Amino acid sequence: MSLASFSFLAFCIVTLIVFYLIPQRFQWIWLLFMNIIFYVNAGAGTVVFILATSIISWLGCMGLSKLRSREMVWLKNNKQLPREEKQREKSESEKRRKRVLACVLVFILGQLICLKYGNFLLQNINGIFHTDFLLLGILMPLGISFYTIFCIGYCIDVYRGQYEAQTNLLKHITVITFFPCITQGPIERYDHLSVQIFAEHKISWNEIRFGTWLMLWGFFKKLVIADSLAVATNLVFYDSQGKYRGFYIFLAAILYAVQLYADFSGYTDIVRGFSQCLGISLAENFDSPYLSGNVAEFWRRWHMSLGTWFKDYVFYSVLRSKWCQSFDKWSRKRFSRRISSNLTTTAGLLINWTLIGLWHGSSWKFAAYGLYYGLIMIVSIWLKPVYEKLLCIFHIQEESFLWRLFEGIRTFLIVSFGYILFCANEFMHFLSLVKNMVCYPNPWIFVNGGIFSMGINRRSALALAFFVLILLFVDILHSKGHRLRAEIAQSNLIFRWLLLYGVIFAILIFGAYGPGYSASDFIYQNF
Amino acid sequence: MRKIISMGIFILLGGILFAYGQKILIPKWNDAETWYSSDIVEGFYAEKRDSLDLLFMGSSQFMSGLSPMELYKRHGIASYSLALDSQDTVLSYYWLREACKYQSPKVLAFECQMLFQDTPSVFYHRKNLDYMKFSFDKFKAIKELCSHSPNENMSDYLFPALYYHTRYQELTKEDFTEPFKKKECPYKGFVFLNGQVKMQYQGIVCDSEDAEEISAYKLKWLQKILAYCKKKKIDIVLVKTPRVGDWTAKRHAAVEKLAEEHDIPFLDFNEKLLYREAGFQDYVDFAEAYHMNMFGALKLSICLGKYFDMAFTLPDRRKDPEYAAWDKDLRRYEREYQHYERTACKDFYRCLDFLTKKDDLNQYRAG
């Protein structure tokens, strides 16, 4: 079921109506039922994988919780024992918990590796060792990357004792399979989501109104902007057999940046809006990312839930790991404090970004995509003193509008270039796109109407440009701290209705759906 | 309560805006290129209730091959051709039901070509359905079509704006004004074709004992038409207009068998005798192999008019004051006929004849 479809809309309406009609204590059971319907609809055969992940993580976390409470009880009962004895028990308990966590993670990650990266690994083994292993013909479960890291986060949190494990298996499955988040996130924190799902929800006019508005805005971004731009980007990147070169590729990369943002943030708005209608508040995933001044800031504002997850569970874990600590000690003996600190951070960033890249997909181009950002951040860390010196020499005011504009454009171009790698079929395709972009400069396409040969005619292009400007305007208002929905709700009725009708009719008229458009999935749904 | 009322008004207002937007976006099939499909349907709805005695249904063969105004002119029969481009049999059935909500026809003439033709493309389905008023029958027709073609969505038919929304790029002034114009179809569903293609056709000898099989699906819907006519006490006549190429003796035999089974008349104007008797000329009467032009239509209309006059007791409406508008339409039709006749004239001496006639028509083309 595509999220940008009437069937999904109908599904949401039915879910919502029944959710508020049944007694509040049964609301979560209804959600569990609808989660399963949604997931089975996406592919009945793959339900077994998400159920296996749910059951194993539930069992593991129950075990972790039991071990921790047993340790607490032991410590309480043996207060009189010497400190060393207590320490030994603690460390024994910690080891046992580590083993349980390792077992759970091996299973969950093993499943992800087999299903998502199995063929990638086999292809590489076949390529390197000239073997002839047959590729696996397994269907990838919907949202496997999302629910796997969600479960991993939950297990690590329980291991760290941040909160208690969920004792009810059905409730646990309800949280893992919560259908608005299952396909593309946001990657929630277990405790944040579960507390809300199991709370008893009363119908709230404001929640429903604000939720619906957010959904509308999401549909607008997806159908009016993202899918319309997809016509041009698909033509240039995939369907043209190298016909489009030079600035066509440059322009397509920029359009792809807008498309991906509208697509992914559109999806997030739809599911956040729907969850809000249910009285569940999901985490923000985007914070006007294209208004960032540098790449690190961009990633703090783009797909925020993924960035935070990797920072909390990978980057800091790597920095806190034994080998990283010993490497840090070793480097401090040999280099200055700044250099040794940079070296440790570099190692952490390389691992973190390679994993982020590979999380997106099972191919070297995704690893390269992650490394691309990792390397940019590493270079910026190492060159920071030079950069600061240059700013000083040229008397550049970092807070001035022009400088911030320059930084914003620079970051946008770096990110757009990265998207060529992101959307290329494979690494060689990326190289050929870059070669075609650089070697055949044709700036005249901007004046001779050539840009209208990318599948979007002049009229549509004008309309699209207008809508992209609206998107930019809304992002600027957001970044300035405006709470737009609250402000719209305060405005007069005529303005509010005009705005709503404007969005609804823009979706209906300018949306890329129906004949002439192939229904396109959300891009991140494939991860 | 205030919130519910305001939400209700919001939805109602939105619905009105949507309905108007839909009327703007929907294509206007009101020119020769599109065979005036929308005019024909809207013209039908504009007819006075219970004013039609005879209905024609089927595919474009009737649209260009039969002129209801000739029947009125010669016999006073009030008829209307609700045949539309590639009107599938299932749609003929639902159109018949729809027509009977507004009219009480005594006779239905059904063109048989679509019994042997594959299910037409979405484009033709849309031309048949988009201007039909919304009703439970329309809903059932849409459901039936969509259940048979996986690429078609019910929502696209129920809300045509969803299907035609990309037309915003090609909207003209006419798209905005057309919904407010008075609807009429003075030629009662007839489409003038004045092109002439010389064919080598003298009709066919229908002596085949083998009958081509009519698909179960088409047969099912034809039988529904027959049953509905029986229920409504409407006499039905099966007609096949002249068509060069794919109409065969086997097809004739199949329809003839069917007609015999149900004891209904079948007039096949491809049959050599009938073809000759109607006076068709293969170098004059065809616009192309599958469609007759206005000259062929005139001959077929004269012939069918005589038949309906003889076989059924259809009232002569010419002196009925209720039909004064039809007389006006007839004059308009005659003028239009002459105009098309002149523009189609390629014979030098006939052109000279036209020149000597005194009337208000001065546009013609000598080929």
Side-chain angles (χ1 to χ4, degrees):
Chain A
M1 187 188 311
S2 169
L3 265 69
S5 65
F6 283 110
S7 42
F8 178 72
L9 214 55
F11 185 81
C12 287
I13 292 168
V14 171
T15 308
L16 203 63
I17 292 171
V18 178
F19 185 79
Y20 284 116
L21 283 179
I22 57 177
Q24 289 168 0
R25 63 180 185 281
F26 298 130
Q27 284 174 331
W28 70 269
I29 297 173
W30 170 245
L31 278 185
L32 171 66
F33 176 71
M34 294 311 271
N35 290 344
I36 291 170
I37 299 266
F38 182 85
Y39 207 86
V40 168
N41 186 269
T46 58
V47 175
V48 67
F49 297 112
I50 194 170
L51 284 180
T53 303
S54 305
I55 293 168
I56 295 293
S57 60
W58 178 73
L59 284 172
C61 289
M62 288 285 285
L64 288 172
S65 225
K66 279 248 162 73
L67 286 173
R68 182 171 282 278
S69 52
R70 196 184 293 167
E71 181 194 329
M72 302 304 262
V73 170
W74 189 91
L75 288 173
K76 204 176 166 186
N77 294 341
N78 298 285
K79 272 182 188 166
Q80 72 287 0
L81 286 177
R83 206 176 156 197
E84 292 76 35
E85 193 86 2
K86 285 185 197 167
Q87 209 63 35
R88 202 170 49 242
E89 175 56 28
K90 265 189 185 176
S91 121
E92 277 302 310
S93 170
E94 171 94 22
K95 270 184 194 166
R96 280 195 290 269
R97 279 187 287 124
K98 247 185 197 158
R99 261 180 252 138
V100 173
L101 177 69
C103 287
V104 176
L105 293 191
V106 163
F107 178 83
I108 298 175
L109 274 174
Q111 188 177 284
L112 176 73
I113 290 166
C114 283
L115 295 173
K116 187 170 175 177
Y117 302 98
N119 284 338
F120 171 60
L121 291 172
L122 286 175
Q123 274 168 351
N124 283 293
I125 290 169
N126 286 344
I128 296 166
F129 300 108
H130 303 289
T131 48
D132 204 14
F133 290 118
L134 284 175
L135 298 184
L136 308 166
I138 305 172
L139 193 66
M140 204 165 74
L142 177 71
I144 185 167
S145 307
F146 288 92
Y147 72 71
T148 300
I149 66 171
F150 177 65
C151 277
I152 290 173
Y154 167 61
C155 294
I156 293 174
D157 286 348
V158 173
Y159 165 77
R160 288 175 180 167
Q162 287 179 353
Y163 45 83
E164 285 298 308
Q166 173 58 261
T167 50
N168 184 328
L169 176 62
L170 290 181
K171 283 190 172 180
H172 180 66
I173 295 174
T174 311
V175 180
I176 303 286
T177 56
F178 185 53
F179 78 86
C181 297
I182 195 77
T183 48
Q184 295 179 67
I187 302 155
E188 276 287 333
R189 293 307 159 98
Y190 191 93
D191 56 333
H192 179 246
L193 187 60
S194 66
V195 165
Q196 295 190 77
I197 287 178
F198 304 121
E200 293 183 353
H201 299 278
K202 278 184 189 160
I203 192 159
S204 152
W205 166 253
N206 260 354
E207 294 286 333
I208 289 190
R209 188 164 62 145
F210 281 19
T212 313
W213 290 357
L214 194 57
M215 282 180 88
L216 271 178
W217 180 237
F219 281 119
F220 173 82
K221 286 202 260 188
K222 167 67 180 160
L223 292 170
V224 178
I225 300 178
D227 286 359
S228 302
L229 287 173
V231 176
T233 55
N234 287 343
L235 187 68
V236 175
F237 288 138
Y238 308 117
D239 305 334
S240 67
Q241 314 285 335
K243 186 183 140 199
Y244 292 94
R245 293 170 164 184
F247 277 96
Y248 281 117
I249 297 176
F250 172 79
L251 189 61
I254 287 177
L255 294 182
Y256 190 79
V258 182
Q259 178 198 339
L260 187 63
Y261 173 53
D263 185 285
F264 196 12
S265 68
Y267 163 84
T268 308
D269 288 345
I270 293 169
V271 297
R272 284 187 68 235
F274 175 66
S275 301
Q276 190 168 5
C277 291
L278 294 172
I280 295 167
S281 155
L282 296 183
E284 288 256 19
N285 226 5
F286 297 91
D287 178 18
S288 316
Y290 291 142
L291 301 178
S292 308
N294 56 56
V295 168
E297 188 191 347
F298 168 78
W299 275 98
R300 282 197 297 277
R301 299 167 75 164
W302 171 274
H303 203 176
M304 289 147 73
S305 60
L306 180 78
T308 320
W309 192 95
F310 268 91
K311 194 175 74 189
D312 290 351
Y313 298 106
V314 179
F315 185 63
Y316 289 148
S317 301
V318 169
L319 291 188
R320 279 195 220 111
S321 65
K322 269 182 196 164
W323 70 265
C324 209
Q325 299 283 349
S326 44
F327 175 73
D328 193 42
K329 270 182 200 164
W330 174 86
S331 63
R332 274 186 192 195
K333 281 178 198 161
R334 282 159 184 80
F335 309 107
S336 69
R337 200 175 165 180
R338 191 182 69 82
I339 291 178
S340 70
S341 157
N342 280 358
L343 276 173
T344 319
T345 314
T346 300
L349 282 174
L350 279 176
I351 293 169
N352 193 46
W353 283 97
T354 312
L355 288 177
I356 289 182
L358 280 173
W359 175 86
H360 283 89
S362 53
S363 77
W364 288 117
K365 72 146 195 186
F366 281 117
Y369 175 69
L371 273 174
Y372 169 74
Y373 285 108
L375 288 174
I376 289 171
M377 287 180 204
I378 289 164
V379 169
S380 68
I381 288 171
W382 285 95
L383 294 181
K384 199 177 173 194
V386 181
Y387 179 73
E388 280 168 354
K389 208 162 245 176
L390 283 173
L391 287 181
C392 209
I393 291 168
F394 292 109
H395 302 289
I396 292 167
Q397 299 287 325
E398 279 189 86
E399 291 308 307
S400 70
F401 171 75
L402 277 178
W403 181 249
R404 280 192 292 142
L405 183 68
F406 162 74
E407 281 188 323
I409 292 171
R410 179 196 61 189
T411 308
F412 182 69
L413 291 177
I414 290 171
V415 170
S416 301
F417 183 77
Y419 286 139
I420 301 179
L421 182 54
F422 183 85
C423 68
N425 292 327
E426 53 188 29
F427 200 73
M428 294 312 290
H429 182 210
F430 162 71
L431 291 180
S432 106
L433 284 171
V434 173
K435 188 189 131 206
N436 283 342
M437 181 173 78
V438 176
C439 299
Y440 303 96
N442 50 356
W444 48 87
I445 63 162
F446 292 102
V447 284
N448 69 0
I451 52 169
F452 301 114
S453 67
M454 291 164 70
I456 301 176
N457 63 29
R458 202 177 288 261
R459 246 189 206 190
S460 305
L462 275 175
L464 208 44
F466 174 68
F467 295 132
V468 172
L469 281 178
I470 291 178
L471 179 66
L472 179 68
F473 179 65
V474 169
D475 268 9
I476 290 171
L477 289 179
H478 263 298
S479 69
K480 289 194 181 301
H482 285 270
R483 300 176 67 80
L484 288 177
R485 283 181 292 162
E487 285 169 24
I488 292 167
Q490 295 298 320
S491 64
N492 70 62
L493 187 96
I494 295 173
F495 173 74
R496 206 164 62 225
W497 282 20
L498 279 177
L499 206 64
L500 283 173
Y501 283 137
V503 176
I504 292 169
F505 283 104
I507 295 169
L508 290 175
I509 294 169
F510 301 100
Y513 63 89
Y517 293 100
S518 51
S520 52
D521 284 337
F522 286 93
I523 296 169
Y524 265 69
Q525 200 167 312
N526 303 320
F527 304 142
Chain B
M1 192 61 191
R2 230 187 86 226
K3 279 167 190 163
I4 294 172
I5 291 171
S6 104
M7 210 163 103
I9 295 172
F10 180 80
I11 292 169
L12 188 76
L13 200 62
I16 293 167
L17 284 172
F18 182 78
Y20 176 62
Q22 191 152 273
K23 280 186 184 292
I24 293 170
L25 285 169
I26 205 165
K28 316 295 177 290
W29 291 306
N30 56 1
D31 54 20
E33 212 175 300
T34 55
W35 287 52
Y36 302 95
S37 300
S38 55
D39 279 358
I40 291 172
V41 173
E42 293 191 312
F44 172 78
Y45 285 121
E47 289 295 329
K48 269 188 191 165
R49 268 183 184 265
D50 298 324
S51 62
L52 301 173
D53 300 313
L54 169 61
L55 271 185
F56 294 95
M57 281 199 175
S59 65
S60 54
Q61 318 274 286
F62 259 164
M63 292 172 88
S64 67
L66 183 120
S67 170
M69 266 303 156
E70 289 294 339
L71 270 67
Y72 179 75
K73 180 181 165 186
R74 290 161 203 274
H75 306 280
I77 299 172
S79 65
Y80 200 97
S81 174
L82 253 179
L84 293 163
D85 318 30
S86 294
Q87 188 179 72
D88 213 352
T89 319
V90 50
L91 292 180
S92 296
Y93 170 70
Y94 283 109
W95 258 120
L96 175 64
R97 289 182 68 98
E98 177 71 2
C100 288
K101 284 176 201 157
Y102 300 89
Q103 302 292 340
S104 311
K106 291 163 190 73
V107 183
L108 169 74
F110 180 79
E111 218 285 340
C112 300
Q113 178 60 32
M114 289 309 288
L115 292 176
F116 300 95
Q117 211 154 298
D118 290 339
T119 302
S121 65
V122 182
F123 172 70
Y124 293 110
H125 284 162
R126 298 226 64 117
K127 282 185 93 177
N128 271 273
L129 277 176
D130 280 345
Y131 281 85
M132 186 194 268
K133 282 185 183 174
F134 188 76
S135 65
F136 191 51
D137 280 321
K138 180 172 178 174
F139 180 80
K140 284 200 282 189
I142 291 169
K143 204 172 155 214
E144 181 59 35
L145 285 185
C146 295
S147 67
H148 269 261
S149 33
N151 297 330
E152 296 192 55
N153 290 319
M154 283 187 71
S155 55
D156 285 348
Y157 280 103
L158 294 173
F159 308 106
L162 304 182
Y163 187 81
Y164 296 115
H165 67 102
T166 47
R167 278 200 72 240
Y168 77 86
Q169 297 171 32
E170 56 202 55
L171 291 179
T172 59
K173 196 180 160 195
E174 192 204 6
D175 286 297
F176 292 87
T177 53
E178 188 67 21
F180 300 106
K181 279 188 187 159
K182 192 189 162 201
K183 309 297 173 199
E184 56 175 2
C185 184
Y187 318 131
K188 314 295 175 195
F190 174 59
V191 176
F192 285 96
L193 292 187
N194 64 349
Q196 267 179 337
V197 171
K198 285 179 184 165
M199 309 297 303
Q200 291 283 323
Y201 190 64
Q202 295 302 323
I204 51 172
V205 180
C206 298
D207 55 0
S208 172
E209 297 211 342
D210 287 347
E212 189 173 321
E213 200 179 346
I214 301 173
S215 81
Y217 184 70
K218 304 264 182 186
L219 206 57
K220 172 186 151 188
W221 290 103
L222 179 66
Q223 272 162 354
K224 276 182 178 262
I225 291 174
L226 297 176
Y228 188 76
C229 285
K230 201 172 175 186
K231 187 180 153 198
K232 289 272 175 184
K233 294 194 174 90
I234 300 170
D235 290 314
I236 184 163
V237 180
L238 301 178
V239 180
K240 182 69 208 92
T241 55
R243 181 177 168 105
V244 185
D246 61 359
W247 186 261
T248 59
K250 284 184 179 179
R251 288 187 174 183
H252 172 92
V255 183
E256 194 167 47
K257 196 175 145 202
L258 193 82
E260 275 169 15
E261 275 170 19
H262 291 87
D263 193 24
I264 47 177
F266 170 44
L267 305 173
D268 184 354
F269 287 91
N270 292 281
E271 206 179 358
K272 213 161 191 165
L273 279 174
L274 204 51
Y275 181 86
R276 210 175 286 166
E277 201 176 309
F280 293 118
Q281 291 164 297
D282 55 0
Y283 55 93
V284 174
D285 298 327
F286 288 92
E288 24 86 7
Y290 293 162
H291 296 100
M292 304 189 73
N293 58 24
M294 52 189 282
F295 307 112
L298 177 66
K299 288 170 188 168
L300 183 68
S301 306
I302 292 171
C303 204
L304 271 179
K306 280 182 194 161
Y307 170 77
F308 286 122
D309 203 27
M310 277 193 322
F312 305 98
T313 48
L314 296 172
D316 184 346
R317 306 285 193 182
R318 281 173 292 193
K319 282 162 197 155
D320 189 338
E322 289 283 312
Y323 286 77
W326 280 64
D327 294 325
K328 225 160 129 188
D329 288 341
L330 179 60
R331 283 195 291 278
R332 205 166 145 187
Y333 164 79
E334 281 173 336
R335 274 206 306 274
E336 197 71 5
Y337 192 92
Q338 281 176 32
H339 166 69
Y340 276 112
E341 197 180 14
R342 287 172 185 214
T343 52
C345 176
K346 288 176 184 170
D347 181 81
F348 179 71
Y349 293 105
R350 284 196 72 197
C351 289
L352 283 181
D353 277 352
F354 282 129
L355 276 174
T356 53
K357 275 185 191 171
K358 276 189 181 173
D359 54 31
D360 57 346
L361 289 166
N362 49 19
Q363 282 188 346
Y364 71 94
R365 174 174 58 84

